[in-house]
C-alpha cells in the first residue's frame, strides 16, 4: 500500500458487499449501504452481481440483528441494483433505522415508509443526521434523469464518502472544505447507460464511443481523487455482468463501457504513480480496516482478468434453465393491439411534456420481433400514429421485444427499468444526444413536468464565469445546460474544450461554447488573447 495512516485506536471497518454495497462498522454503529443480493439480478433479470455475492446476505442479516450496536440501513436511490426490495423484505430482525434521500419523486419513499423497522428517515440535500458515535450526511442529485444520492459517514474521527452513482464531482471541493479529511472515497467508475451499448453502430464507431466514455469516467474519478485526497479510493457501483443469452455477448466485447475494477486501478497507477492514495480492488467479502490501515481478503469469489471468461461462462450456465423457463411464460402478443396500448401510454407522456415543441425529430417506437410496424411520435404536433416504416432522413428509433414492452404497460417494470434492461435497440439520425427525447422515453408521465421545470430553471440562471484556455479568457455560462453541473469546477481538455465535471459534456470554447456531440451551449465569449 502507498498510504501510511496513523493508527488512531478507533474502529472503522468497511466490508465490500459487491457492486455498490458496503457494510461499515464503527465503535458504536453498523451502517449497511445499498445491499444487492437478489438471485434474479436487477432490471428484469438483465443485470447480475459480479462477482457473485449472494452468500453475503446472511452476514448482513447477522450484523443488522446485533443489538450491541446501533444499526442503520441506507438506500441511495431506487435503481434495482441499489434498492433490492426482495432482500429487504427477507430481513427478519428490523431493529434498525432506514435512511433514504428525500427526492421529489416519491416512489422510493412510498415503498419504504410502510417498511416495518425501527424508523424511516427522509433526508434532504446536505442534511446531517446524528447517528451513534458520529453523523450521516446525504447529498442529493435530484435532476429527474439522474436521481441519486451520496453518503458521508463520519464516526470516531474517521470518514467515508460513498458517492456510488451520484455525479456530484462539482460539489467535492465544498464537501472537503466543510468536513476536512476524507479517509475513504467510493465512486462509480463504469458505465451504466444504454448508450452506446444499445445503439446500432458499426463496430469501429461503437468502440470509439466506448473508449471515449470510459476515459471520461476514469478522468472523473481521477479529478475526484485530486479534489478529495483520500487515503483510499474504492472502485464501486459496477460493472454488472449479463447472463441472459440475449445479452451475453456484452460481457466479452473487446471494448465497451463496462471496464473492470482492475482496469480502473491500472489507469490510476499510470495517472498518479506517486500518489498517497491507495486503490485496492475489493472482492465481495473483503474488509478494509481503515483504523488499522489493513486489508483482509475475506471474499470467497475472486476473479481477475485471466479467469474472467471462464467465470462468466460458468455463472451463466447456472442460469440457463432460469432464462428458458422465463421466456416460456411470456405469451404471444397481438402487435397491433399492443401498439394501441403503447400509444395510450405514450400519449400520457406527450401530454405531460411541456417542452415538446423543442423536439423536432420524430420518434419511431416498434418491436424487435415484429417487422415493419411502429408508432411515429410527432412532438410539436402532439400526434402519435401507426406507421409501417421510418419514412424520413432525420429520426430517432427505438425497438424492443414486444413481451418486454408489455411488462412495462402492465406495470411490472418502470420505464426507467426498461431502459436499463439493454434489450432494446436504438438508432438516430443525426447522431446527436437529445436530453428531452431521452427523458420522454425513460421517465414516467408524472416526472416529466418536474424534468421540464428543471431544464427551464437551469436556463434561467444568469451567472457567468471566466475560464482560460489556450492563452485566451472566455466568459461562459456557469451551469451546464444538460443537468446543471457547476462548470466552475470543470476542466479544459485539448486546450479548447470546457468539460462538465458531472457528465463529461465538452463545450468548444473556440466555437462559441457549442457542444459538438449534444444539443447544448454555454455561450462562450472570448474576452482577450495573450
Amino acid at each position: 500500500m502507498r498510504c501510511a495512516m496513523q493508527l488512531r485506536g478507533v474502529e472503522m471497518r468497511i466490508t465490500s458487499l459487491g457492486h455498490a454495497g458496503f457494510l461499515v462498522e464503527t465503535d458504536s454503529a453498523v451502517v449497511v449501504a445499498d445491499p444487492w443480493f437478489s438471485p434474479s439480478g436487477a432490471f428484469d433479470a438483465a443485470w447480475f452481481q459480479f462477482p457473485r455475492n449472494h452468500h453475503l446476505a446472511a452476514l448482513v442479516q447477522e450484523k443488522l440483528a446485533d443489538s450491541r450496536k446501533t444499526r442503520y440501513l441506507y438506500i441511495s436511490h431506487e435503481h434495482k441494483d441499489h434498492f433490492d426490495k426482495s432482500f429487504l423484505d427477507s430481513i427478519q430482525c428490523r431493529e434498525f433505522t432506514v435512511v433514504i434521500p428525500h427526492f421529489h419523486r416519491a416512489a422510493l419513499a412510498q415503498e419504504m415508509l410502510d417498511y416495518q423497522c425501527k424508523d424511516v428517515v427522509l433526508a434532504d440535500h446536505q442534511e446531517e443526521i446524528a447517528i451513534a458515535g458520529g453523523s450521516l450526511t446525504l447529498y442529493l442529485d435530484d435532476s429527474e434523469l439522474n436521481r441519486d444520492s451520496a453518503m458521508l459517514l463520519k464516526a470516531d474521527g474517521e470518514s467515508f464518502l460513498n458517492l456510488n452513482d451520484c455525479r456530484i464531482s462539482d460539489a467535492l471541493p465544498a464537501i472537503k472544505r466543510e468536513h476536512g479529511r476524507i479517509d475513504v472515497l467510493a465512486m462509480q467508475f463504469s458505465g451504466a447507460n444504454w448508450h452506446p451499448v444499445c445503439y446500432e453502430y458499426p463496430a469501429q464507431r461503437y468502440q470509439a464511443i466506448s473508449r471515449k466514455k470510459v476515459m471520461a469516467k476514469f478522468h472523473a474519478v481521477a479529478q475526484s481523487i485530486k479534489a478529495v485526497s483520500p487515503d483510499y479510493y474504492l472502485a464501486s457501483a459496477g460493472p454488472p455482468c449479463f447472463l441472459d443469452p440475449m445479452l451475453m455477448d456484452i460481457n466479452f466485447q473487446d471494448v465497451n463501457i463496462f471496464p473492470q475494477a482492475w482496469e480502473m486501478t491500472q489507469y490510476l497507477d499510470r495517472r498518479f504513480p506517486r500518489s498517497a492514495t491507495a486503490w485496492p480492488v475489493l472482492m465481495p467479502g473483503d474488509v478494509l480496516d481503515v483504523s488499522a490501515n489493513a486489508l483482509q481478503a475475506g471474499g470467497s469469489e475472486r476473479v481477475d482478468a485471466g479467469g474472467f471468461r471462464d467465470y462468466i461462462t460458468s455463472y451463466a450456465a447456472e442460469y440457463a434453465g432460469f432464462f428458458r423457463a422465463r421466456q416460456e411464460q411470456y405469451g404471444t402478443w397481438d402487435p397491433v393491439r399492443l401498439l394501441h396500448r403503447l400509444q395510450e401510454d405514450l400519449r400520457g407522456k406527450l401530454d405531460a411534456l411541456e417542452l415538446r415543441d423543442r423536439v423536432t425529430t420524430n420518434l419511431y417506437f416498434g418491436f424487435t420481433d415484429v417487422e415493419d410496424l411502429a408508432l411515429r411520435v410527432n412532438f410539436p404536433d402532439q400526434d402519435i400514429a401507426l406507421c409501417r416504416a421510418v419514412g424520413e432522413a432525420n429520426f430517432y428509433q427505438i425497438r424492443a421485444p414486444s413481451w418486454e414492452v408489455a411488462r412495462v404497460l402492465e406495470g411490472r417494470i418502470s420505464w426507467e427499468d426498461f431502459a436499463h434492461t439493454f434489450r432494446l435497440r436504438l438508432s438516430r439520425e443525426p447522431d446527436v444526444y437529445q436530453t428531452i427525447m431521452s427523458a420522454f422515453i425513460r421517465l414516467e408521465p408524472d416526472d416529466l413536468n418536474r424534468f421540464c421545470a428543471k431544464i427551464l430553471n437551469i436556463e434561467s440562471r444568469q451567472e457567468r464565469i471566466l475560464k482560460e484556455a489556450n492563452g485566451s479568457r472566455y466568459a461562459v455560462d456557469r451551469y451546464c445546460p444538460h443537468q446543471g453541473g457547476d462548470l466552475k469546477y470543470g476542466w479544459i481538455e485539448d486546450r479548447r474544450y470546457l468539460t462538465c465535471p458531472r457528465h463529461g459534456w465538452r463545450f468548444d470554447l473556440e466555437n462559441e461554447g457549442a457542444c459538438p456531440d449534444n444539443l447544448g451551449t454555454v455561450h462562450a465569449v472570448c474576452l482577450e488573447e495573450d
Side-chain angles (χ1 to χ4, degrees), residues 469-523:
N470 200 24
S472 299
R473 297 172 72 240
Y474 296 87
V476 300
D477 297 333
R478 177 169 177 174
Y479 297 101
C480 177
H482 176 217
Q483 292 184 36
D486 192 343
L487 296 175
K488 176 181 178 181
Y489 301 104
W491 54 84
I492 302 299
E493 293 181 357
D494 300 332
R495 305 182 70 181
R496 65 185 291 176
Y497 296 102
L498 173 59
T499 303
C500 177
R502 288 204 175 189
H503 300 93
W505 278 36
R506 303 204 320 166
F507 300 94
D508 188 353
L509 298 179
E510 296 183 8
N511 186 26
E512 299 181 341
C515 184
D517 301 316
N518 308 293
L519 296 178
T521 179
V522 293
H523 304 99

Side-chain angles (χ1 to χ4, degrees), residues 163 169 172 185 187 219-230 501:
L163 297 183
S169 299
L172 294 181
L185 169 70
M187 180 179 176
H219 186 68
V221 170
Q223 291 294 115
S224 297
I225 290 172
K226 287 176 64 176
V228 174
S229 301

Side-chain angles (χ1 to χ4, degrees), residues 53-66:
N53 66 344
H54 312 109
H55 59 288
L56 293 174
L59 172 66
V60 172
Q61 294 248 22
E62 175 188 333
K63 295 294 183 179
L64 288 175
D66 186 352

Side-chain angles (χ1 to χ4, degrees), residues 196 199-210 425 429 431:
Y199 278 74
E200 296 180 327
Y201 288 123
Q204 189 173 10
R205 173 70 172 156
Y206 178 85
Q207 293 182 0
I209 294 172
S210 297
R425 303 306 301 162
E429 290 293 343
D431 187 19

Side-chain angles (χ1 to χ4, degrees), residues 123-129 137-140 171 174-175 178-179:
D124 291 314
H125 179 56
Q126 296 182 323
E127 181 175 351
E128 184 176 294
I129 301 164
T137 304
L138 265 57
Y139 298 90
L140 277 60
I175 293 174
E178 181 178 356
H179 294 279

Side-chain angles (χ1 to χ4, degrees), residues 143-147 416 433 435 438-439 442-443 451 483:
S143 55
E144 301 306 330
L145 273 179
N146 285 88
R147 189 167 45 253
E416 195 154 22
Y433 174 77
T435 303
S438 182
R442 290 172 50 190
L443 298 183
F451 163 78
Q483 292 184 36

Side-chain angles (χ1 to χ4, degrees), residues 18-22 47 81-82 164-165 187-192 235-240:
H19 201 65
F22 292 101
W47 297 26
D81 57 324
H82 298 257
N164 57 74
D165 299 357
M187 180 179 176
Q188 184 190 55
F189 67 95
S190 174
S236 71

